[in-house]
Amino acid sequence: MRIKVELHQAVWNCLQDRLTPAERESFSARLEDVRRAPIRNSEASHDPRRGPYMLRFFRFGAAERWIAIIEYDIARARIKVLECRLLRPRRPGPGSSGHDGGT
């Protein structure tokens, strides 16, 4: 059975206004991968702002700088893309000097 995909209006806006053509192409390709095998091609996530339920996300774009947060409803064979957002750059952890220790 083919999984239906829905995009939230904010996702449509992001696709049109914020993403480059290459990023849109990457989004579409990764979404198709997720559509074929949702669990295998996405990662689990929990965002208390969005409610008590487990969500999933997939990475896309150059250097996988973007993520798309999805709600996967197995019973309805539906994926709803709720949000696309840029990942924040990682900061060095506590005790890290911020460099690789080389000379």
Side-chain angles (χ1 to χ4, degrees):
M1 178 196 283
R2 189 116 170 117
I3 294 176
K4 181 180 177 182
V5 172
E6 297 176 10
L7 302 179
H8 187 278
Q9 183 61 44
V11 174
W12 281 110
N13 294 343
C14 181
L15 288 169
Q16 294 173 351
D17 301 336
R18 296 189 62 202
L19 299 180
T20 66
E23 289 168 335
R24 283 193 293 272
E25 187 175 312
S26 175
F27 172 86
S28 295
R30 292 290 296 136
L31 182 57
E32 190 57 35
D33 291 343
V34 170
R35 192 176 192 186
R36 278 194 297 273
I39 302 298
R40 185 176 44 208
N41 291 311
S42 65
E43 301 173 51
S45 173
H46 177 69
D47 184 350
R49 294 175 301 137
R50 292 215 173 263
Y53 304 106
M54 185 64 65
L55 300 173
R56 302 196 67 79
F57 70 93
F58 62 89
R59 300 167 192 269
F60 68 95
E64 297 187 329
R65 292 182 28 205
W66 288 89
I67 62 169
I69 300 170
I70 64 172
E71 179 181 83
Y72 175 42
D73 186 341
I74 250 177
R76 293 185 180 144
R78 181 193 72 160
I79 292 171
K80 185 170 185 178
V81 184
L82 303 172
E83 179 182 357
C84 291
R85 67 178 178 223
L86 273 171
L87 286 172
R88 292 184 214 164
R90 288 192 177 158
R91 291 184 291 193
S96 173
S97 63
H99 62 80
D100 63 6
T103 56

